[in-house]
Amino acid sequence: MNNLFITESPEELADYSLITIDGKLCKSLAQFYEAIKDKLHFPEYFEPNMDSLDEVLNDLSWIEDERLLIYFKNSSEFLINERNEKNVTSLLDLFDITCEDWKYMDAEAEEEALVTNTEEEEEDYIIPKKELLIGFSPSERMEDYLAEIN
């Protein structure tokens, strides 16, 4: 299965925890960042930009579930007000790369992840392995975007 895909029935992937985001509530990047932050309970340090999104999607340590499906219903409305098409394709590329990165994370990489605390001491910071997929409801617009990045 591709990392990004179109489906009418996300519940068919029963072994994945389903996180549904309404594309009608994500017509701009600002609205998207707010919606995904709320749905995935992003940490307080999250900033509404691609770099911060990349950082938190490559962590997800606060989420217990190992297999996640982020599903955008009403995908014809997703980022419809975004004037710069490059922003939409960049976001989809980020999703695809992040899903792919999770596939190749191994136990050794988990243990090598370190964070420095305020006393400048290193402490082990284990990022638990996840599987991440991104699904979209059927729409010609989203099918065109996904065809463009594949």
Side-chain angles (χ1 to χ4, degrees), residues 44-111:
E44 289 183 24
Y45 64 81
F46 173 73
E47 297 291 327
N49 61 59
M50 292 277 195
D51 289 337
S52 189
L53 179 65
D54 183 38
E55 181 179 344
V56 295
L57 288 179
N58 280 289
D59 183 340
L60 301 175
S61 58
W62 61 93
I63 297 176
E64 289 184 23
D65 301 316
E66 292 180 11
R67 303 178 94 192
L68 304 170
L69 168 59
I70 301 172
Y71 180 72
F72 292 91
K73 67 180 186 178
N74 299 310
S75 71
S76 61
E77 300 289 316
F78 182 67
L79 300 180
I80 194 82
N81 293 340
E82 191 58 40
R83 291 184 202 160
N84 187 343
E85 299 268 327
K86 178 98 172 106
N87 289 340
V88 179
T89 56
S90 293
L91 176 63
L92 296 175
D93 281 338
L94 183 145
F95 281 160
D96 190 38
I97 291 166
T98 300
C99 292
E100 200 65 21
D101 286 348
W102 278 112
K103 290 179 184 178
Y104 296 102
M105 182 181 209
D106 59 13
E108 184 177 317
E110 289 181 55
E111 292 176 12

Side-chain angles (χ1 to χ4, degrees), residues 101-150:
D101 286 348
W102 278 112
K103 290 179 184 178
Y104 296 102
M105 182 181 209
D106 59 13
E108 184 177 317
E110 289 181 55
E111 292 176 12
E112 288 177 3
L114 297 175
V115 68
T116 304
N117 67 20
T118 55
E119 297 175 9
E120 299 298 314
E121 295 175 15
E122 288 186 350
E123 59 185 58
D124 288 334
Y125 178 69
I126 297 174
I127 298 174
K129 176 128 170 82
K130 305 282 182 193
E131 272 187 63
L132 180 64
L133 295 175
I134 310 291
F136 297 91
S137 65
S139 74
E140 185 177 330
R141 181 173 172 270
M142 197 50 63
E143 288 172 14
D144 290 345
Y145 273 120
L146 294 185
E148 184 179 324
I149 69 165
N150 285 329

